[in-house]
């Protein structure tokens, strides 16, 4: 059977204008139709006429053909001036065939070692970030089988600070790639980019420019409180900036900020806050050969704000350690905490028992947790992997967000509004070929504020191995949504959600306690 590209070229040669148009074809490479720039003696109208004369099906194919086109990149910091060394070039992945574009760089990732190729699933931003990250790994490729790093360096936050600008106001192709049905930025794709940028920042902090030692394996451990402060418009430029804010022995905290200025510059004022979203990522370092925890470079804060962020990181680290200790001692036999916990469980299960034992008498404004659940499954493909060959954490967050959004949508009966990612845990890596199941539910609702009821969604990812008859939790995701005020004025009511089993009640209490602990320290 002829290949798809061969059939397309043959179709053009049979056409009366094939000689002219064949000169426009360069080659097919990596599934992408590449066009040479139109020569100087050909004007754009001639090219447009040729394009208009193509058969409809061919015009559609060519319009969808991917072609690299740079849109913009700049480097800005959370609290300091930008540095050219931190600028990461980003390209949109679609363009029209009649549009002029630069030639492909022969030193691009197409020529890089196969071990440095990420999957092809990702967004323009993740492609650019991994291109920048792979350049670091390329220098260390010769030392991949060498010893682990022995000397720890001291880095400043400014050395890892990196940002990317989305020129949505001028790049219509990029805008289309990130647009959601509300003409706002797709949160799922933004989660991918945030994870990819955080990973690049972690790599920059841990690199030591020593080609004789093997690079560290850096993985996302958790994401804390990713709060959306205002909607993200798709017609206004957007910036993501981040830097390392705290390091432990083998862990790294990275703070990310997404900023978007007012569309009307005349409406700006001194008190205007351009920050639209904040997030805290935690990465852990592993020895790429043994898989054991590995030490990371030290951090030296320079500004007063950087010193304050280091103090906040120390506080978060103490809280994490305290939480682990409390979980170990939580259910001491005969202890006071056990009696309190039992009382809370009974109170939470009271209404659920009515649903199970006397459904005709149950509260019509309530619903069981299990009746709000949705589920989907997939086989993890090579195109979804990262530079380490594992499934990209941003892809997992994207899929979890889409399922959480759908769960809230079905529960409310109206399009929900995203508020925040409460917490994400990466408990075990997900490999190419794994059978991954996502299960979601409305864990609980908060109806105290009638103007902004809160819907708390839990998504749990399971790596299932049918051959071994095993299923392990790989990730847990917690999202918070609300509904638009117009929906509330039109009579939409949010129902109370109740657990039916002790296991469900414990999950609800754990999330409520985690939220309370966060707000008590913030």
């Amino acid at each position: 059977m002829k290949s798809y590209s061969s059939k397309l070229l043959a179709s053009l040669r049979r056409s009366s204008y094939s000689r002219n148009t064949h000169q426009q074809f360069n080659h097919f490479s990596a599934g992408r139709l590449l066009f040479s720039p139109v020569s100087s003696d050909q004007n754009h109208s001639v090219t447009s006429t040729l394009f208009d004369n193509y058969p409809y099906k061919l015009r559609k194919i060519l319009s969808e053909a991917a072609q690299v086109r740079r849109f913009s990149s700049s480097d800005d910091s959370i609290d300091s001036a930008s540095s050219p060394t931190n600028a990461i070039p980003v390209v949109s992945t679609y363009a029209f065939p009649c549009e002029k574009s630069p030639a492909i760089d022969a030193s691009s990732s197409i020529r890089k070692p196969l071990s440095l190729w990420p999957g092809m699933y990702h967004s323009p931003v993740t492609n650019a970030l991994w291109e920048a990250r792979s350049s670091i790994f390329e220098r260390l490729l010769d030392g991949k089988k060498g010893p682990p790093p022995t000397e720890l360096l001291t880095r400043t936050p400014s050395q890892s600070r990196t940002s990317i600008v989305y020129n949505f106001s001028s790049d219509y192709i990029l805008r289309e790639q990130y647009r959601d049905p509300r003409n706002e930025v797709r949160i799922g794709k933004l989660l991918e980019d945030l994870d990819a940028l955080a990973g690049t920042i972690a790599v920059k902090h841990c690199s030591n420019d020593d080609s004789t030692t093997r690079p560290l394996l850096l993985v996302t451990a958790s994401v804390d409180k990713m709060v959306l402060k205002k909607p993200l418009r798709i017609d206004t430029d957007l910036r993501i900036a981040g830097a390392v804010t705290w390091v432990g022995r083998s862990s790294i905290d990275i703070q990310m900020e997404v900023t978007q200025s007012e569309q009307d510059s005349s409406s700006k004022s001194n008190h205007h806050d351009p920050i639209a979203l904040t997030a805290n990522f935690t990465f852990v370092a592993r020895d790429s050969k043994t898989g054991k925890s590995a030490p990371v470079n030290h951090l030296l804060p320079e500004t007063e704000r950087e010193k304050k962020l280091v103090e906040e990181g120390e506080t978060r680290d103490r809280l994490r350690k305290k939480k682990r200790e409390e979980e170990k001692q939580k259910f001491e036999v005969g202890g006071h905490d056990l009696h309190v916990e039992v009382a809370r469980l009974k109170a939470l299960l009271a209404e659920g028992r009515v649903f199970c034992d006397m459904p005709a008498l149950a509260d019509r404004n309530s619903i069981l947790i299990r009746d709000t659940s949705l589920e989907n499954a997939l086989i993890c493909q090579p195109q979804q992997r990262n530079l380490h060959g594992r499934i990209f954490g941003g892809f997992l967050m994207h899929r979890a967000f889409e399922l959480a959004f759908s769960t809230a949508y079905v529960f409310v009966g109206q399009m929900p509004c995203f508020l925040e990612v409460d917490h994400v845990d990466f408990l075990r890596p997900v490999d190419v070929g794994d059978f991954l199941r996502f299960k979601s539910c409305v864990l609980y609702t908060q109806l105290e504020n009638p103007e902004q009821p809160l819907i708390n969604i839990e998504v749990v990812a399971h790596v299932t191995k049918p051959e071994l008859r095993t299923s392990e939790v790989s990730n847990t995701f917690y999202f918070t949504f609300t509904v638009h005020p117009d929906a509330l004025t039109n009579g939409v009511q949010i129902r109370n959600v109740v657990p039916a089993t002790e296991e469900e009640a414990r999950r609800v209490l754990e999330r409520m306690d985690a939220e309370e602990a966060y707000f008590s320290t913030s």
Side-chain angles (χ1 to χ4, degrees):
M1 179 181 289
K2 288 185 177 180
S3 67
Y4 184 75
S5 57
S6 300
K7 290 182 179 180
L8 186 55
L9 285 172
S11 174
L12 287 171
R13 292 192 184 101
R14 287 195 298 269
S15 303
S16 59
Y17 47 81
S18 62
R19 180 173 299 178
N20 293 329
T21 55
H22 185 66
Q23 294 174 356
Q24 294 292 96
F25 281 94
N26 208 350
H27 62 281
F28 285 86
S29 176
R32 181 175 295 156
L33 180 60
L34 304 178
F35 268 69
S36 301
V38 180
S39 60
S40 57
D41 59 342
Q42 291 176 303
N43 56 42
H44 184 72
S45 62
V46 173
T47 310
S48 300
T49 303
L50 286 174
F51 183 68
D52 292 339
N53 288 332
Y54 291 166
Y56 169 76
K57 188 172 182 180
L58 181 58
R59 291 203 312 270
K60 184 177 180 182
I61 293 171
L62 296 180
S63 296
E64 296 174 353
Q67 186 176 19
V68 175
R69 185 166 70 91
R70 179 177 302 244
F71 70 86
S72 177
S73 170
S74 68
D75 179 68
D76 194 17
S77 64
I78 297 177
D79 61 355
S80 66
S82 61
S83 167
T85 59
N86 286 340
I88 293 182
V90 182
V91 295
S92 55
T93 54
Y94 293 94
F96 291 105
C98 298
E99 187 174 339
K100 293 185 179 182
S101 64
I104 294 282
D105 182 3
S107 63
S108 69
S109 58
I110 297 175
R111 301 289 295 267
K112 294 186 185 301
L114 185 61
S115 61
L116 297 181
W117 286 12
M120 301 305 294
Y121 158 82
H122 314 291
S123 73
V125 172
T126 55
N127 285 338
L129 289 168
W130 275 330
E131 183 75 17
R133 202 186 308 180
S134 68
S135 66
I136 298 175
F137 282 124
E138 245 184 332
R139 296 198 305 268
L140 304 175
L141 195 62
D142 293 336
K144 193 171 183 179
K145 296 182 180 180
T150 55
E151 182 182 358
L152 296 180
L153 306 178
T154 299
R155 303 282 193 184
T156 63
S158 61
Q159 288 178 295
S160 65
R161 187 172 289 117
T162 311
S163 71
I164 279 187
V165 171
Y166 301 73
N167 277 349
F168 288 136
S169 61
S170 57
D171 193 327
Y172 298 100
I173 298 169
L174 183 74
R175 185 190 301 181
E176 188 64 23
Q177 289 181 279
Y178 281 82
R179 183 171 66 88
D180 74 357
R182 288 179 169 176
N183 284 322
E184 295 176 356
V185 176
R186 287 182 63 185
I187 299 297
K189 288 184 73 68
L190 193 64
L191 293 179
E192 290 185 19
D193 296 348
L194 284 166
D195 185 71
L197 179 56
T200 301
I201 292 169
V203 168
K204 290 174 71 174
H205 177 81
C206 294
S207 62
N208 59 5
D209 298 325
D210 185 356
S211 61
T212 63
T213 60
R214 58 177 178 263
L216 297 177
L217 174 65
L218 296 163
V219 295
T220 313
S222 64
V223 181
D224 286 321
K225 278 296 175 188
M226 189 182 297
V227 182
L228 182 66
K229 299 181 178 181
K230 59 183 180 180
L232 297 173
R233 299 180 304 278
I234 195 62
D235 57 354
T236 307
D237 292 349
L238 190 75
R239 182 190 305 274
I240 303 179
V244 174
T245 57
W246 175 85
V247 297
R249 180 189 173 274
S250 60
S251 58
I252 305 170
D253 280 4
I254 297 168
Q255 186 181 83
M256 312 286 289
E257 288 181 351
V258 178
T259 56
Q260 189 174 58
S261 301
E262 291 292 337
Q263 192 171 12
D264 183 7
S265 58
S266 62
S267 66
K268 291 183 180 180
S269 60
N270 293 331
H271 64 272
H272 170 65
D273 184 5
I275 297 177
L277 185 145
T278 58
N280 290 297
F281 282 74
T282 299
F283 279 72
V284 292
R286 298 281 184 265
D287 187 289
S288 56
K289 184 177 182 180
T290 65
K292 297 180 179 179
S293 63
V296 298
N297 289 331
H298 306 298
L299 184 69
L300 177 64
E302 296 177 306
T303 67
E304 289 301 319
R305 189 187 178 195
E306 289 172 354
K307 293 176 182 178
K308 183 179 178 181
L309 290 173
V310 169
E311 292 176 359
E312 293 176 358
E314 294 287 352
T315 302
R316 285 194 302 270
D317 185 57
R318 286 195 297 268
L319 287 174
R320 285 193 290 259
K321 292 177 179 178
K322 182 180 177 182
K323 182 180 178 181
R324 288 195 292 266
E325 289 297 323
E326 288 177 349
E327 288 177 352
K328 292 179 181 178
Q329 303 173 0
K330 194 171 186 179
F331 299 106
E332 291 183 357
V333 177
H336 173 71
D337 290 342
L338 178 60
H339 293 297
V340 173
E341 189 75 12
V342 170
R344 295 177 69 196
L345 287 172
K346 285 184 177 180
L348 198 57
L349 284 167
E351 186 61 31
R353 299 297 186 196
V354 176
F355 266 94
C356 296
D357 299 336
M358 299 170 285
L361 302 178
D363 184 2
R364 297 307 173 195
N365 291 323
S366 298
I367 186 174
L368 292 176
I369 289 177
R370 66 190 182 199
D371 293 332
T372 67
S373 62
L374 290 180
E375 180 178 344
N376 61 28
L378 67 140
I379 302 296
C380 297
Q381 303 295 336
Q383 294 77 17
Q384 297 148 3
R385 73 190 186 277
N386 59 20
L387 287 172
H388 301 297
R390 295 274 173 70
I391 298 303
F392 171 40
F395 167 78
L396 300 175
M397 285 198 290
H398 187 172
R399 291 300 296 260
F401 173 82
E402 299 289 351
L403 183 60
F405 187 94
S406 302
T407 304
Y409 195 178
V410 173
F411 175 72
V412 176
Q414 297 283 338
M415 190 78 75
C417 299
F418 169 73
L419 290 181
E420 61 187 49
V421 179
D422 297 312
H423 189 76
V424 178
D425 277 320
F426 292 81
L427 304 175
R428 70 177 302 277
V430 181
D431 294 317
V432 173
D434 279 349
F435 175 34
L436 193 63
R437 300 173 66 189
F438 289 92
K439 299 179 181 180
S440 68
C441 69
V442 180
L443 198 59
Y444 64 98
T445 55
Q446 295 169 274
L447 310 178
E448 295 81 5
N449 183 1
E451 296 182 356
Q452 192 183 57
L454 303 180
I455 306 155
N456 295 272
I457 308 291
E458 176 192 64
V459 181
V460 181
H462 299 258
V463 172
T464 304
K465 297 184 180 297
E467 300 89 346
L468 303 176
R469 298 195 301 170
T470 61
S471 181
E472 295 182 88
V473 175
S474 61
N475 307 82
T476 55
F477 310 85
Y478 298 96
F479 303 91
T480 300
F481 295 86
T482 187
V483 292
H484 197 275
D486 292 343
L488 297 173
T489 58
N490 293 333
V492 172
Q493 291 185 346
I494 308 301
R495 302 169 76 178
N496 186 40
V497 180
V498 295
T501 65
E502 187 174 317
E503 185 269 338
E504 289 177 344
R506 290 190 189 281
R507 283 157 46 199
V508 173
L509 290 179
E510 286 176 2
R511 280 314 307 159
M512 288 181 171
D513 291 344
E515 287 292 293
E516 183 179 351
Y518 173 81
F519 286 111
S520 64
T521 57
S522 60

